[in-house]
Amino acid sequence: MSDDSRAAFFDGTAERYDEDPFHASVADALVEPLPPGPELVLDVATGTGFAAYAALKLNPARVLAVDVSPAMVARAEAKAPTQDPDGRIEWRVATAVPMPVEDHSADVVLCASSLHFLGAAAFTDWLRVLRPGGRLAFSVVSGTRFKPSGGFAEFVPRDLTFPTAEAEAAALAHGFADVSARTFSVDTGDRIRSVFLVHATAP
C-alpha cells in the first residue's frame, strides 16, 4: 500500500473524525500518568491531534505531531489558536514510521488509536527515537473485537498480532523496560468500547 493511497484513505475520514469522542478519551488516558516537563514529545500518526493537545498538559517544551494525511493535519492545526496558543506543537505531513527526528532525541512517544495502521515496525523506530529513560505510551485494539474486513483491511499491516489480554498487549513492547498494560473502557451509551493502554520505558 503506497503512502499516497494511505493519505487519500485517511483524508476521506478526516472531516468526521472529531465526532468520535473515544479518541480524545484514549489520548487523555495515555498522557495522564506521564511525568511532567519533557523537552520533546512525539505524537505518532496524530490524526486530528488529540494526543498532541493532550500532551500539552505535561508542559513540554515542544511537541512534534506527524501524520501522512494532509486533511487530518489541517484539521488538527486548525484547533491550535484556542488549544495551543503558545505554539508549542509543530504539525508535519509525513510518514509516521520512521519519525522524522534524530536518534535518541525524544523524551516521550505517544501513539493513540493508530498502532493498528503502523504495524510492528513502529516499535523499532520508537526505540531509535527515544532517549534512554524516555517514555512510551500507546493504545492497541483488542484482537477479540478488531476484525478488519473489505477495503479497510488493506490498510492494516499483517506483521502485528493484536492482543486479546493485557499480558499480550504488554508483550508488544519488546525491548522496553517497566512495561505495564491495562484495559481502558468507555461506555458510549450504545456500547462499551475498549482498548489496551501500554506504558513503557526506553532502556
Side-chain angles (χ1 to χ4, degrees):
M1 184 66 61
S2 70
D3 289 340
D4 287 344
S5 296
R6 290 183 179 275
F9 173 78
F10 292 112
D11 282 350
T13 66
E15 184 175 353
R16 302 189 64 181
Y17 195 79
D18 285 358
E19 296 175 9
D20 185 352
F22 185 65
H23 299 305
S25 298
V26 170
D28 287 339
L30 281 175
V31 167
E32 193 275 332
L34 296 174
E39 185 69 24
L40 174 61
V41 176
L42 303 181
D43 181 16
V44 181
T46 187
T48 58
F50 287 121
Y53 287 117
L56 295 179
K57 299 173 186 177
L58 303 176
N59 193 28
R62 185 164 69 98
V63 178
L64 174 61
V66 173
D67 201 282
V68 73
S69 164
M72 287 283 197
V73 172
R75 289 190 69 83
E77 193 168 7
K79 307 173 197 176
T82 56
Q83 296 191 38
D84 180 27
D86 296 332
R88 282 180 287 178
I89 303 175
E90 176 189 350
W91 305 98
R92 194 178 301 182
V93 177
T95 55
V97 178
M99 283 292 283
V101 296
E102 296 180 359
D103 295 359
H104 310 305
S105 61
D107 300 281
V108 174
V109 165
L110 296 173
C111 183
S113 306
S114 300
L115 179 59
H116 53 289
F117 295 120
L118 302 177
F123 292 98
T124 301
D125 195 53
W126 296 344
L127 282 168
R128 177 187 68 83
V129 300
L130 281 167
R131 63 168 181 77
R135 299 298 301 277
L136 169 66
F138 67 91
S139 65
V140 60
V141 293
S142 168
T144 303
R145 298 180 178 87
F146 185 64
K147 304 294 183 183
S149 60
F152 179 78
E154 297 179 15
F155 294 91
V156 178
R158 291 171 172 78
D159 65 349
L160 189 67
T161 300
F162 297 106
T164 59
E166 291 174 356
E168 294 175 7
L172 292 176
H174 178 72
F176 286 85
D178 303 321
V179 183
S180 65
R182 70 180 180 93
T183 303
F184 176 76
S185 300
V186 173
D187 187 342
T188 59
D190 58 340
R191 59 176 170 148
I192 296 177
R193 299 174 65 181
S194 299
V195 293
F196 297 111
L197 303 184
V198 182
H199 291 84
T201 302

PDB file of all heavy atoms in Angstrom, residues 109-135:
ATOM      1  N   VAL A 109       7.148   9.319  23.492  1.00  0.00           N
ATOM      2  CA  VAL A 109       6.482   8.939  22.251  1.00  0.00           C
ATOM      3  C   VAL A 109       5.049   8.553  22.595  1.00  0.00           C
ATOM      4  O   VAL A 109       4.815   7.719  23.478  1.00  0.00           O
ATOM      5  CB  VAL A 109       7.183   7.762  21.547  1.00  0.00           C
ATOM      6  CG1 VAL A 109       6.279   7.157  20.473  1.00  0.00           C
ATOM      7  CG2 VAL A 109       8.490   8.219  20.919  1.00  0.00           C
ATOM      8  N   LEU A 110       4.098   9.183  21.901  1.00  0.00           N
ATOM      9  CA  LEU A 110       2.683   8.876  22.049  1.00  0.00           C
ATOM     10  C   LEU A 110       2.155   8.284  20.748  1.00  0.00           C
ATOM     11  O   LEU A 110       2.500   8.763  19.666  1.00  0.00           O
ATOM     12  CB  LEU A 110       1.876  10.142  22.361  1.00  0.00           C
ATOM     13  CG  LEU A 110       2.158  10.871  23.664  1.00  0.00           C
ATOM     14  CD1 LEU A 110       1.375  12.183  23.698  1.00  0.00           C
ATOM     15  CD2 LEU A 110       1.791   9.997  24.854  1.00  0.00           C
ATOM     16  N   CYS A 111       1.318   7.283  20.858  1.00  0.00           N
ATOM     17  CA  CYS A 111       0.632   6.745  19.682  1.00  0.00           C
ATOM     18  C   CYS A 111      -0.767   6.314  20.121  1.00  0.00           C
ATOM     19  O   CYS A 111      -0.936   5.250  20.728  1.00  0.00           O
ATOM     20  CB  CYS A 111       1.400   5.578  19.088  1.00  0.00           C
ATOM     21  SG  CYS A 111       0.638   4.925  17.573  1.00  0.00           S
ATOM     22  N   ALA A 112      -1.739   7.149  19.836  1.00  0.00           N
ATOM     23  CA  ALA A 112      -3.116   6.910  20.272  1.00  0.00           C
ATOM     24  C   ALA A 112      -3.972   6.484  19.080  1.00  0.00           C
ATOM     25  O   ALA A 112      -4.030   7.188  18.073  1.00  0.00           O
ATOM     26  CB  ALA A 112      -3.697   8.173  20.908  1.00  0.00           C
ATOM     27  N   SER A 113      -4.595   5.342  19.208  1.00  0.00           N
ATOM     28  CA  SER A 113      -5.586   4.878  18.231  1.00  0.00           C
ATOM     29  C   SER A 113      -5.023   4.703  16.826  1.00  0.00           C
ATOM     30  O   SER A 113      -5.754   4.841  15.842  1.00  0.00           O
ATOM     31  CB  SER A 113      -6.776   5.852  18.184  1.00  0.00           C
ATOM     32  OG  SER A 113      -7.334   6.050  19.467  1.00  0.00           O
ATOM     33  N   SER A 114      -3.727   4.382  16.723  1.00  0.00           N
ATOM     34  CA  SER A 114      -3.113   4.315  15.389  1.00  0.00           C
ATOM     35  C   SER A 114      -2.204   3.116  15.159  1.00  0.00           C
ATOM     36  O   SER A 114      -1.827   2.858  14.009  1.00  0.00           O
ATOM     37  CB  SER A 114      -2.291   5.591  15.119  1.00  0.00           C
ATOM     38  OG  SER A 114      -3.090   6.742  15.173  1.00  0.00           O
ATOM     39  N   LEU A 115      -1.829   2.395  16.201  1.00  0.00           N
ATOM     40  CA  LEU A 115      -0.857   1.319  16.032  1.00  0.00           C
ATOM     41  C   LEU A 115      -1.324   0.280  15.021  1.00  0.00           C
ATOM     42  O   LEU A 115      -0.510  -0.285  14.272  1.00  0.00           O
ATOM     43  CB  LEU A 115      -0.566   0.640  17.372  1.00  0.00           C
ATOM     44  CG  LEU A 115       0.432  -0.523  17.335  1.00  0.00           C
ATOM     45  CD1 LEU A 115       1.790  -0.069  16.801  1.00  0.00           C
ATOM     46  CD2 LEU A 115       0.577  -1.160  18.705  1.00  0.00           C
ATOM     47  N   HIS A 116      -2.625   0.039  14.959  1.00  0.00           N
ATOM     48  CA  HIS A 116      -3.134  -0.981  14.035  1.00  0.00           C
ATOM     49  C   HIS A 116      -2.960  -0.587  12.572  1.00  0.00           C
ATOM     50  O   HIS A 116      -3.178  -1.410  11.683  1.00  0.00           O
ATOM     51  CB  HIS A 116      -4.601  -1.306  14.337  1.00  0.00           C
ATOM     52  CG  HIS A 116      -5.515  -0.140  14.380  1.00  0.00           C
ATOM     53  ND1 HIS A 116      -5.502   0.788  15.390  1.00  0.00           N
ATOM     54  CD2 HIS A 116      -6.496   0.252  13.524  1.00  0.00           C
ATOM     55  CE1 HIS A 116      -6.433   1.707  15.163  1.00  0.00           C
ATOM     56  NE2 HIS A 116      -7.034   1.413  14.039  1.00  0.00           N
ATOM     57  N   PHE A 117      -2.572   0.671  12.314  1.00  0.00           N
ATOM     58  CA  PHE A 117      -2.244   1.086  10.952  1.00  0.00           C
ATOM     59  C   PHE A 117      -0.737   1.134  10.706  1.00  0.00           C
ATOM     60  O   PHE A 117      -0.307   1.259   9.563  1.00  0.00           O
ATOM     61  CB  PHE A 117      -2.834   2.463  10.650  1.00  0.00           C
ATOM     62  CG  PHE A 117      -4.333   2.503  10.637  1.00  0.00           C
ATOM     63  CD1 PHE A 117      -5.029   3.316  11.517  1.00  0.00           C
ATOM     64  CD2 PHE A 117      -5.058   1.720   9.750  1.00  0.00           C
ATOM     65  CE1 PHE A 117      -6.417   3.352  11.508  1.00  0.00           C
ATOM     66  CE2 PHE A 117      -6.439   1.740   9.733  1.00  0.00           C
ATOM     67  CZ  PHE A 117      -7.122   2.558  10.619  1.00  0.00           C
ATOM     68  N   LEU A 118       0.064   1.054  11.755  1.00  0.00           N
ATOM     69  CA  LEU A 118       1.509   1.206  11.634  1.00  0.00           C
ATOM     70  C   LEU A 118       2.250  -0.125  11.612  1.00  0.00           C
ATOM     71  O   LEU A 118       3.242  -0.273  10.908  1.00  0.00           O
ATOM     72  CB  LEU A 118       2.045   2.060  12.794  1.00  0.00           C
ATOM     73  CG  LEU A 118       1.441   3.460  12.932  1.00  0.00           C
ATOM     74  CD1 LEU A 118       2.017   4.149  14.155  1.00  0.00           C
ATOM     75  CD2 LEU A 118       1.675   4.282  11.681  1.00  0.00           C
ATOM     76  N   GLY A 119       1.800  -1.068  12.425  1.00  0.00           N
ATOM     77  CA  GLY A 119       2.432  -2.371  12.454  1.00  0.00           C
ATOM     78  C   GLY A 119       3.639  -2.442  13.378  1.00  0.00           C
ATOM     79  O   GLY A 119       4.015  -1.469  14.048  1.00  0.00           O
ATOM     80  N   ALA A 120       4.278  -3.609  13.387  1.00  0.00           N
ATOM     81  CA  ALA A 120       5.361  -3.891  14.314  1.00  0.00           C
ATOM     82  C   ALA A 120       6.599  -3.033  14.080  1.00  0.00           C
ATOM     83  O   ALA A 120       7.398  -2.823  14.996  1.00  0.00           O
ATOM     84  CB  ALA A 120       5.735  -5.371  14.234  1.00  0.00           C
ATOM     85  N   ALA A 121       6.768  -2.514  12.870  1.00  0.00           N
ATOM     86  CA  ALA A 121       7.940  -1.683  12.580  1.00  0.00           C
ATOM     87  C   ALA A 121       7.991  -0.444  13.461  1.00  0.00           C
ATOM     88  O   ALA A 121       9.071   0.129  13.671  1.00  0.00           O
ATOM     89  CB  ALA A 121       7.938  -1.275  11.110  1.00  0.00           C
ATOM     90  N   ALA A 122       6.845  -0.035  13.991  1.00  0.00           N
ATOM     91  CA  ALA A 122       6.799   1.160  14.831  1.00  0.00           C
ATOM     92  C   ALA A 122       7.677   1.004  16.069  1.00  0.00           C
ATOM     93  O   ALA A 122       8.345   1.952  16.496  1.00  0.00           O
ATOM     94  CB  ALA A 122       5.367   1.459  15.237  1.00  0.00           C
ATOM     95  N   PHE A 123       7.723  -0.190  16.648  1.00  0.00           N
ATOM     96  CA  PHE A 123       8.455  -0.376  17.893  1.00  0.00           C
ATOM     97  C   PHE A 123       9.964  -0.196  17.709  1.00  0.00           C
ATOM     98  O   PHE A 123      10.635   0.379  18.568  1.00  0.00           O
ATOM     99  CB  PHE A 123       8.137  -1.749  18.487  1.00  0.00           C
ATOM    100  CG  PHE A 123       6.724  -1.868  18.961  1.00  0.00           C
ATOM    101  CD1 PHE A 123       5.765  -2.457  18.164  1.00  0.00           C
ATOM    102  CD2 PHE A 123       6.343  -1.345  20.186  1.00  0.00           C
ATOM    103  CE1 PHE A 123       4.440  -2.550  18.586  1.00  0.00           C
ATOM    104  CE2 PHE A 123       5.033  -1.430  20.623  1.00  0.00           C
ATOM    105  CZ  PHE A 123       4.077  -2.033  19.820  1.00  0.00           C
ATOM    106  N   THR A 124      10.477  -0.658  16.607  1.00  0.00           N
ATOM    107  CA  THR A 124      11.897  -0.461  16.318  1.00  0.00           C
ATOM    108  C   THR A 124      12.222   1.016  16.211  1.00  0.00           C
ATOM    109  O   THR A 124      13.247   1.500  16.715  1.00  0.00           O
ATOM    110  CB  THR A 124      12.283  -1.186  15.017  1.00  0.00           C
ATOM    111  OG1 THR A 124      12.006  -2.580  15.150  1.00  0.00           O
ATOM    112  CG2 THR A 124      13.746  -0.981  14.691  1.00  0.00           C
ATOM    113  N   ASP A 125      11.331   1.760  15.567  1.00  0.00           N
ATOM    114  CA  ASP A 125      11.567   3.193  15.411  1.00  0.00           C
ATOM    115  C   ASP A 125      11.437   3.916  16.742  1.00  0.00           C
ATOM    116  O   ASP A 125      12.191   4.862  17.017  1.00  0.00           O
ATOM    117  CB  ASP A 125      10.592   3.780  14.386  1.00  0.00           C
ATOM    118  CG  ASP A 125      11.021   5.162  13.921  1.00  0.00           C
ATOM    119  OD1 ASP A 125      12.186   5.312  13.489  1.00  0.00           O
ATOM    120  OD2 ASP A 125      10.212   6.109  14.014  1.00  0.00           O
ATOM    121  N   TRP A 126      10.511   3.494  17.580  1.00  0.00           N
ATOM    122  CA  TRP A 126      10.343   4.148  18.877  1.00  0.00           C
ATOM    123  C   TRP A 126      11.554   3.911  19.768  1.00  0.00           C
ATOM    124  O   TRP A 126      11.967   4.816  20.503  1.00  0.00           O
ATOM    125  CB  TRP A 126       9.062   3.656  19.548  1.00  0.00           C
ATOM    126  CG  TRP A 126       7.834   4.027  18.764  1.00  0.00           C
ATOM    127  CD1 TRP A 126       7.744   4.962  17.771  1.00  0.00           C
ATOM    128  CD2 TRP A 126       6.535   3.447  18.886  1.00  0.00           C
ATOM    129  NE1 TRP A 126       6.464   5.006  17.264  1.00  0.00           N
ATOM    130  CE2 TRP A 126       5.708   4.095  17.930  1.00  0.00           C
ATOM    131  CE3 TRP A 126       5.993   2.454  19.694  1.00  0.00           C
ATOM    132  CZ2 TRP A 126       4.355   3.766  17.774  1.00  0.00           C
ATOM    133  CZ3 TRP A 126       4.645   2.130  19.548  1.00  0.00           C
ATOM    134  CH2 TRP A 126       3.834   2.786  18.603  1.00  0.00           C
ATOM    135  N   LEU A 127      12.150   2.727  19.693  1.00  0.00           N
ATOM    136  CA  LEU A 127      13.402   2.501  20.420  1.00  0.00           C
ATOM    137  C   LEU A 127      14.509   3.400  19.881  1.00  0.00           C
ATOM    138  O   LEU A 127      15.380   3.854  20.629  1.00  0.00           O
ATOM    139  CB  LEU A 127      13.814   1.035  20.304  1.00  0.00           C
ATOM    140  CG  LEU A 127      13.065   0.043  21.198  1.00  0.00           C
ATOM    141  CD1 LEU A 127      13.373  -1.384  20.768  1.00  0.00           C
ATOM    142  CD2 LEU A 127      13.428   0.242  22.663  1.00  0.00           C
ATOM    143  N   ARG A 128      14.480   3.652  18.596  1.00  0.00           N
ATOM    144  CA  ARG A 128      15.500   4.527  17.984  1.00  0.00           C
ATOM    145  C   ARG A 128      15.368   5.962  18.455  1.00  0.00           C
ATOM    146  O   ARG A 128      16.362   6.621  18.791  1.00  0.00           O
ATOM    147  CB  ARG A 128      15.372   4.485  16.455  1.00  0.00           C
ATOM    148  CG  ARG A 128      16.343   5.422  15.733  1.00  0.00           C
ATOM    149  CD  ARG A 128      16.066   5.478  14.242  1.00  0.00           C
ATOM    150  NE  ARG A 128      14.801   6.126  13.917  1.00  0.00           N
ATOM    151  CZ  ARG A 128      14.626   7.443  13.820  1.00  0.00           C
ATOM    152  NH1 ARG A 128      15.642   8.274  14.051  1.00  0.00           N
ATOM    153  NH2 ARG A 128      13.444   7.945  13.496  1.00  0.00           N
ATOM    154  N   VAL A 129      14.144   6.496  18.469  1.00  0.00           N
ATOM    155  CA  VAL A 129      13.977   7.937  18.696  1.00  0.00           C
ATOM    156  C   VAL A 129      13.993   8.315  20.171  1.00  0.00           C
ATOM    157  O   VAL A 129      14.312   9.455  20.519  1.00  0.00           O
ATOM    158  CB  VAL A 129      12.676   8.456  18.050  1.00  0.00           C
ATOM    159  CG1 VAL A 129      12.708   8.217  16.549  1.00  0.00           C
ATOM    160  CG2 VAL A 129      11.438   7.843  18.678  1.00  0.00           C
ATOM    161  N   LEU A 130      13.650   7.389  21.063  1.00  0.00           N
ATOM    162  CA  LEU A 130      13.602   7.723  22.480  1.00  0.00           C
ATOM    163  C   LEU A 130      14.998   7.735  23.105  1.00  0.00           C
ATOM    164  O   LEU A 130      15.815   6.866  22.852  1.00  0.00           O
ATOM    165  CB  LEU A 130      12.731   6.719  23.233  1.00  0.00           C
ATOM    166  CG  LEU A 130      11.220   6.930  23.129  1.00  0.00           C
ATOM    167  CD1 LEU A 130      10.487   5.693  23.634  1.00  0.00           C
ATOM    168  CD2 LEU A 130      10.789   8.165  23.909  1.00  0.00           C
ATOM    169  N   ARG A 131      15.220   8.719  23.947  1.00  0.00           N
ATOM    170  CA  ARG A 131      16.458   8.730  24.715  1.00  0.00           C
ATOM    171  C   ARG A 131      16.364   7.647  25.792  1.00  0.00           C
ATOM    172  O   ARG A 131      15.257   7.200  26.141  1.00  0.00           O
ATOM    173  CB  ARG A 131      16.659  10.093  25.365  1.00  0.00           C
ATOM    174  CG  ARG A 131      15.573  10.457  26.367  1.00  0.00           C
ATOM    175  CD  ARG A 131      15.931  11.656  27.205  1.00  0.00           C
ATOM    176  NE  ARG A 131      14.884  11.977  28.168  1.00  0.00           N
ATOM    177  CZ  ARG A 131      14.664  11.318  29.299  1.00  0.00           C
ATOM    178  NH1 ARG A 131      15.404  10.272  29.618  1.00  0.00           N
ATOM    179  NH2 ARG A 131      13.695  11.690  30.115  1.00  0.00           N
ATOM    180  N   PRO A 132      17.474   7.197  26.352  1.00  0.00           N
ATOM    181  CA  PRO A 132      17.418   6.248  27.465  1.00  0.00           C
ATOM    182  C   PRO A 132      16.581   6.816  28.615  1.00  0.00           C
ATOM    183  O   PRO A 132      16.783   7.959  29.034  1.00  0.00           O
ATOM    184  CB  PRO A 132      18.882   6.087  27.869  1.00  0.00           C
ATOM    185  CG  PRO A 132      19.643   6.375  26.609  1.00  0.00           C
ATOM    186  CD  PRO A 132      18.862   7.458  25.926  1.00  0.00           C
ATOM    187  N   GLY A 133      15.626   6.044  29.084  1.00  0.00           N
ATOM    188  CA  GLY A 133      14.731   6.512  30.133  1.00  0.00           C
ATOM    189  C   GLY A 133      13.509   7.245  29.609  1.00  0.00           C
ATOM    190  O   GLY A 133      12.632   7.620  30.387  1.00  0.00           O
ATOM    191  N   GLY A 134      13.449   7.446  28.300  1.00  0.00           N
ATOM    192  CA  GLY A 134      12.274   8.093  27.712  1.00  0.00           C
ATOM    193  C   GLY A 134      11.048   7.197  27.829  1.00  0.00           C
ATOM    194  O   GLY A 134      11.154   5.975  27.948  1.00  0.00           O
ATOM    195  N   ARG A 135       9.870   7.810  27.748  1.00  0.00           N
ATOM    196  CA  ARG A 135       8.640   7.076  27.993  1.00  0.00           C
ATOM    197  C   ARG A 135       7.856   6.851  26.697  1.00  0.00           C
ATOM    198  O   ARG A 135       7.758   7.745  25.836  1.00  0.00           O
ATOM    199  CB  ARG A 135       7.756   7.840  28.976  1.00  0.00           C
ATOM    200  CG  ARG A 135       8.393   8.043  30.338  1.00  0.00           C
ATOM    201  CD  ARG A 135       8.691   6.748  31.056  1.00  0.00           C
ATOM    202  NE  ARG A 135       7.483   5.961  31.266  1.00  0.00           N
ATOM    203  CZ  ARG A 135       6.639   6.158  32.282  1.00  0.00           C
ATOM    204  NH1 ARG A 135       6.878   7.107  33.175  1.00  0.00           N
ATOM    205  NH2 ARG A 135       5.576   5.397  32.399  1.00  0.00           N
TER     206      ARG A 135
END
